[in-house]
Amino acid sequence: MLTIVVWFGSQTRPFAAPASDGNEPSGTPAQGAQAAETPPLLPLENVPKTPPALLDQPPSEPSGSPNETQAATPPPSEQPPPGPVVPTAPRLAPPPLPSPEEAPPPAAQPIAPSEEQPPPAPVARKQRPKKVIAPPSASGAQASGPPVKEIEVVYVGPKSVNRSMILSNMHTTVGQPYVATTVEEDVRNLYATGLFTNLRITSEPMGDGVKVLVVVQPKPLIKEIVIKGAQGVKIETVKHQMKAKVGDPLSEFQISADAEKIKEYYQNHGFGDAQVNYKIDVNEEFGRAVVTMLISEGEKRFITLMRFEGNNSFPAKELQKQFKTKKKNLLSFFNKSGLLKEEQFQEDLRKLKEFYQNHGYIDMSIRDVKVDHPTKEETAITIVIHEGVQYRVGTIQLSGNQVYSNADILSSIKMREGSVFSPKGLDDDLKDLRDYYGQRGYIDAEIRPERLPNVESGKIDLLFKIAEGSQAYVDKIVIQGNTITKDKVIRRELAVQPGDVYNSVQVDASRKWL
């Protein structure tokens, strides 16, 4: 192997002095002799080994003999005048060449960009076949079961449901593997039709497969609906209130619901004493049922009198305004007034009690409700009331507030000492206190009111326990779900911006605006 070393030596060729008039020769005889006597380059193996020179040291003297050096150097009288000084860069001495026996290993040849070798081709990996795990009802599970040779339907009771109807709601079929999970799904599907009272699916061996037995007990079908006792209401109108129809599978739950619906219709039309019962007759042999509705209408009555007892603070006319149940009047044929509806009447009594409590009568109660029938077409209602003591607000105290003073907080509520106390007024003041803190960023503030009634003095002392929490700021506003309206259109409608103190009132207002 051949090692090529390129080395630039330390000897330099002197610059020629510029000619003054163009007639002088470009060099002197001494310079020509020096050039002619320049020693030739030595072979690489004969080059003396010298240590490398430092930048700040002059180059070492040549290793020739004194005589040769003197002969090559011209005498001082023959030397040409010095030329202009040309600055030169510092030169490094050549590094020592290794001897033939100590030659270093050959350096790696750099590869040109155009000659770069292509990357090695990826080694093809052996692909393993994917293992697919199928659900229990999939083909993998089906293949493990024995094949279905036959499906037999066994009826317990009348055959009111066709065999084709049963098989159409099953995934288990002849020729397919028998799978337990599929059979369970078939049972659920058959029950979901609402046609069966009871059913089960079993299997038994048959040759190299199985025989599937479907044992069903169908529900009887409604053959006829009979209405008895309907005199004040047409029979077709009564049947129209029922969801059960002729030909439907019998459902006692639905029949019971229909009886309640008929009773409600009677009461809403003046038959306050109406009662509705039902009877079901089933023919087990043919799978048919007859449903009979037994109605006791009673008398159709209207409210002709409504009076109150024990109402010392409010007149009967004022209390009557709290009721939707009204006496019979000239417009009763159109607005259905004058009818006693039990559900509506109970709601009216609840509103009457709320009316009294909002006027300070916290202990008000309804002691009795009397319903009389002076005649077979009239109804008189008497409501007995116990009003109790009217309570007023005693002292109002605060506890736990550290950021804001009592005077600032109490200025935000409406109830004052000596004013009439009411649960509604307390709820309104509680909301005002929460808004007071919410407007100032204390969205986690907790306020719990305590009532301390004094029956002797007729006053209720109030204590608001406050846990203020920390003040919150708006970090960022995220808008989601706006597929049509742009964000900037929504943001300009908001009353809060990032960096503001969180104001719960403005946030609620922004939500309402949007």
Side-chain angles (χ1 to χ4, degrees):
M1 181 175 291
L2 178 63
T3 302
I4 301 176
V5 180
V6 181
W7 171 48
F8 294 92
S10 60
Q11 296 181 357
T12 59
R13 184 175 180 180
F15 290 90
S20 59
D21 54 357
N23 299 324
E24 296 181 1
S26 60
T28 62
Q31 291 177 349
Q34 182 180 2
E37 297 177 3
T38 300
L41 294 177
L42 298 177
L44 294 179
E45 60 271 10
N46 297 334
V47 176
K49 299 179 182 179
T50 59
L54 301 179
L55 294 177
D56 55 353
Q57 294 180 357
S60 59
E61 296 295 334
S63 58
S65 63
N67 296 333
E68 295 177 356
T69 306
Q70 292 178 1
T73 305
S77 59
E78 299 178 3
Q79 293 180 357
V85 180
V86 180
T88 59
R91 296 183 297 276
L92 287 175
L97 296 176
S99 59
E101 59 273 7
E102 298 179 359
Q109 297 289 342
I111 300 175
S114 60
E115 299 178 359
E116 291 184 358
Q117 299 180 359
V123 180
R125 296 182 179 180
K126 185 178 181 181
Q127 298 291 340
R128 295 183 179 180
K130 296 183 179 180
K131 182 179 180 181
V132 180
I133 301 177
S137 60
S139 60
Q142 293 178 357
S144 61
V148 177
K149 294 295 184 178
E150 182 183 349
I151 299 179
E152 180 181 355
V153 179
V154 179
Y155 291 90
V156 177
K159 299 181 180 181
S160 57
V161 181
N162 294 331
R163 183 177 182 272
S164 60
M165 172 67 179
I166 297 175
L167 296 181
S168 64
N169 285 276
M170 295 177 57
H171 294 289
T172 301
T173 57
V174 176
Q176 297 295 328
Y178 179 85
V179 183
T181 53
T182 305
V183 171
E184 293 177 0
E185 185 178 356
D186 292 340
V187 172
R188 289 193 294 267
N189 292 340
L190 291 174
Y191 268 120
T193 60
L195 301 175
F196 305 97
T197 303
N198 193 9
L199 66 91
R200 69 178 185 272
I201 300 178
T202 59
S203 63
E204 60 183 25
M206 184 177 183
D208 57 348
V210 295
K211 177 181 179 180
V212 178
L213 299 175
V214 183
V215 182
V216 296
Q217 183 181 1
K219 291 182 179 180
L221 302 180
I222 299 177
K223 177 184 178 181
E224 185 181 3
I225 298 177
V226 180
I227 308 296
K228 292 184 178 181
Q231 298 178 358
V233 180
K234 295 181 180 180
I235 293 179
E236 293 300 327
T237 303
V238 175
K239 288 185 177 181
H240 186 70
Q241 310 304 316
M242 301 177 61
K243 289 186 177 181
K245 306 298 180 183
V246 174
D248 293 347
L250 178 64
S251 172
E252 189 170 354
F253 175 81
Q254 184 60 54
I255 299 300
S256 177
D258 290 342
E260 291 295 327
K261 188 70 179 294
I262 295 174
K263 179 181 177 180
E264 181 181 355
Y265 179 85
Y266 266 94
Q267 291 180 347
N268 291 338
H269 287 77
F271 298 89
D273 298 331
Q275 298 295 327
V276 180
N277 296 315
Y278 62 88
K279 182 179 66 171
I280 301 175
D281 298 321
V282 179
N283 188 331
E284 299 290 348
E285 181 180 359
F286 298 99
R288 297 293 184 267
V290 177
V291 178
T292 304
M293 290 292 180
L294 305 174
I295 302 174
S296 176
E297 292 181 341
E299 297 294 338
K300 185 175 182 180
R301 299 187 180 96
F302 290 91
I303 301 174
T304 57
L305 179 64
M306 180 180 290
R307 60 176 180 266
F308 300 90
E309 293 181 0
N311 54 316
N312 301 320
S313 303
F314 302 96
K317 187 177 181 180
E318 183 70 17
L319 300 181
Q320 183 63 51
K321 294 179 181 178
Q322 314 304 320
F323 282 71
K324 287 187 176 180
T325 301
K326 306 292 184 181
K327 295 187 299 182
K328 183 180 179 180
N329 52 44
L330 296 178
L331 300 177
S332 295
F333 180 80
F334 300 100
N335 57 19
K336 304 299 180 183
S337 60
L339 301 178
L340 180 59
K341 303 176 184 179
E342 185 65 24
E343 184 177 352
Q344 182 61 58
F345 185 69
Q346 295 298 327
E347 178 67 17
D348 292 341
L349 295 178
R350 188 191 64 81
K351 289 184 177 180
L352 177 63
K353 186 174 182 180
E354 181 180 347
F355 171 80
Y356 265 93
Q357 290 180 345
N358 288 336
H359 287 80
Y361 295 91
I362 308 302
D363 300 330
M364 181 269 182
S365 62
I366 299 175
R367 292 188 172 180
D368 193 12
V369 176
K370 300 177 182 179
V371 179
D372 299 324
H373 304 289
T375 64
K376 65 178 184 179
E377 296 181 354
E378 295 182 353
T379 300
I381 300 176
T382 303
I383 302 173
V384 182
I385 298 173
H386 171 70
E387 293 181 340
V389 180
Q390 186 182 34
Y391 287 90
R392 294 185 176 271
V393 179
T395 60
I396 303 177
Q397 298 179 356
L398 304 175
S399 66
N401 55 310
Q402 300 177 358
V403 180
Y404 303 104
S405 63
N406 291 356
D408 293 338
I409 298 175
L410 293 177
S411 62
S412 64
I413 63 177
K414 300 179 178 62
M415 284 194 301
R416 295 289 183 266
E417 294 184 4
S419 61
V420 175
F421 173 82
S422 68
K424 184 178 182 302
L426 179 61
D427 293 340
D428 293 342
D429 286 349
L430 185 59
K431 181 181 182 303
D432 292 340
L433 289 177
R434 288 171 178 167
D435 290 345
Y436 178 85
Y437 273 95
Q439 289 176 341
R440 292 157 177 80
Y442 294 90
I443 58 177
D444 296 328
E446 296 182 1
I447 305 174
R448 294 183 295 114
E450 289 188 2
R451 299 187 296 181
L452 305 174
N454 190 335
V455 180
E456 296 179 357
S457 62
K459 293 184 178 181
I460 295 182
D461 297 332
L462 300 178
L463 173 61
F464 293 97
K465 293 183 177 181
I466 302 173
E468 293 175 337
S470 57
Q471 194 175 32
Y473 291 82
V474 179
D475 182 15
K476 59 182 179 180
I477 300 175
V478 180
I479 302 174
Q480 296 179 347
N482 51 321
T483 58
I484 299 177
T485 308
K486 295 182 178 180
D487 284 4
K488 62 180 183 180
V489 177
I490 298 177
R491 291 181 185 276
R492 71 187 182 194
E493 300 295 331
L494 301 178
V496 293
Q497 299 297 330
D500 297 347
V501 175
Y502 188 92
N503 190 324
S504 60
V505 176
Q506 292 183 351
V507 171
D508 293 340
S510 300
R511 185 183 297 110
K512 292 179 181 179
W513 294 340
L514 295 177

